[in-house]
Each structure stands twice: as structure tokens, then as C-alpha cells.
Amino acid sequence: MKQKLPVETPVYLFLGFLESGKTKFIQETLEDPRFSSGEKTLLLVMEEGEEEYETIKFAMPESVRLEVIEDKSQLTEEYLAKLQEECGAERVVVEYNGMWLVEDFFAAMPEGWMINQVMTFFDAQTVLGYNANMRQLVFDKIQNTQLVVFNRYAEGMDKMPLHKLVRGISRRCDIVYERVD
């Protein structure tokens, strides 16, 4: 018997470059029983860095299906719908590849997938270098986000260049500075 999927599937989209803190944040979120109370979750990992998921630590590990998407050619509406149907996911959490444009994900979203939240993570130590060399990719990650998190913000760093970077692209999102400790 085919499982009935929700009419609207909330999607939590985590953006940023390699080693920006996406995996750690998602890990901590899925460990939190306030976020994970049994909903079947499809965790799409499109970028693998140093951090790896410890699924056994998730609040409800049996309700999360982790799928790695290694190649952008897999990013199709048909494939994503198939993954959702196979696990009966009621929501989708996406760790997106920082080198891919977000519009490619939006174009591949199956019918009924609704963006619930977009968060963007940057390493405060390296983001200005990324912006100098790959401005379009930085712009792409900030333009639709609701929250920008600057990880590894060190005591004494000047916030103004980071603040101006975000505000030059979006005035709607919140900005958080996370210290190293």
C-alpha cells in the first residue's frame, strides 16, 4: 500500500561553503527533541566535508533517512520525489553544496515542497576572500536567506565588513556572529 505524503512538505535549506558549520548545526538540530519528535525526515547531503553525521545521536534516528547527492545531475524533481516517497518523508532537510547555485535546487523541487526556512553559514575568517573571488556564489547564498550565521567570529574582528556584505545583498535577513568558543 502506497504511503500518503503530505500535500505540503516543509523544506529546511542550509546554505554555505565547505567547512562553514552547516553539518554541525544540522546535527545539533536533529539531536534536539523539540525539532525531532518523530516526523519522518529526508536529510539530503549535497556536500561532504570534515564533519560527518552521527545519526545514532539524532533524537529520533529511526525517523531520519540520510541520502547523499554527489552529482548535480541527480538534482531532478523525479529523483527527489522518489527519495521522499521511498521513506515517506514529512519534511526535508537539505545541506546544499556551496558551489551550486540555489536556483538549481528550486527548479528541482517536487510539487508540494515548500521552503520553510533558509539559513546561510559562513566562516567569518574566510568569507571576505570568497566574496572577493566568487562574488556571484556569495550573493546567491545570501539573497533568499532568512538568517546569516558567521561562524568562527574571533574577538576583536571588525563586524562592519561582514555586516556590509550581507546588507548590500539583503536587508531582510538576521545576522548572527558565533564566536570560536
Side-chain angles (χ1 to χ4, degrees):
M1 181 183 218
K2 209 173 188 183
Q3 185 171 348
K4 184 164 173 45
L5 295 174
V7 175
E8 291 184 357
T9 303
V11 176
Y12 299 85
L13 186 56
F14 296 87
L15 308 174
F17 298 112
L18 199 60
E19 305 307 316
S20 61
K22 298 183 303 286
T23 303
K24 186 172 195 279
F25 187 88
I26 295 169
Q27 175 75 39
E28 290 172 357
T29 300
L30 292 174
E31 287 177 11
D32 188 339
R34 292 173 297 174
F35 183 79
S36 299
S37 58
E39 300 90 342
K40 290 187 178 181
T41 303
L42 175 59
L43 172 57
L44 298 173
V45 179
M46 300 181 194
E47 180 173 72
E48 294 182 283
E50 291 292 316
E51 290 272 333
E52 290 191 21
Y53 288 100
E54 295 181 65
T55 56
I56 195 149
K57 290 185 174 181
F58 291 167
M60 303 290 284
E62 66 284 349
S63 67
V64 179
R65 176 170 172 184
L66 188 150
E67 284 291 330
V68 176
I69 295 182
E70 296 178 3
D71 189 87
K72 197 159 57 168
S73 66
Q74 294 175 283
L75 203 56
T76 67
E77 183 176 349
E78 297 76 23
Y79 184 64
L80 296 177
K82 177 182 160 242
L83 291 175
Q84 180 184 15
E85 190 172 317
E86 285 175 0
C87 68
E90 300 166 86
R91 67 178 172 195
V92 179
V93 175
V94 180
E95 180 178 357
Y96 199 67
N97 187 316
M99 301 309 286
W100 299 351
L101 293 175
V102 179
E103 68 188 41
D104 295 331
F105 178 74
F106 292 154
M109 285 177 34
E111 187 175 333
W113 283 27
M114 309 300 258
I115 297 295
N116 193 52
Q117 190 168 28
V118 180
M119 298 175 74
T120 301
F121 294 79
F122 292 115
D123 182 327
Q125 311 280 330
T126 61
V127 67
L128 296 176
Y130 276 104
N131 190 51
N133 295 303
M134 298 184 290
R135 174 103 176 115
Q136 181 57 40
L137 287 174
V138 172
F139 178 87
D140 179 66
K141 304 306 171 271
I142 296 174
Q143 69 179 341
N144 294 308
T145 198
Q146 295 158 316
L147 175 69
V148 173
V149 177
F150 289 109
N151 278 316
R152 301 176 195 98
Y153 179 80
E155 183 86 30
M157 280 182 75
D158 185 3
K159 284 184 185 176
M160 197 50 65
L162 302 174
H163 182 83
K164 284 181 177 180
L165 169 64
V166 174
R167 289 297 173 241
I169 298 168
S170 172
R171 294 200 163 277
R172 296 180 313 243
C173 65
D174 292 325
I175 303 171
V176 173
Y177 301 91
E178 285 286 327
R179 294 188 181 210
V180 178
D181 58 1

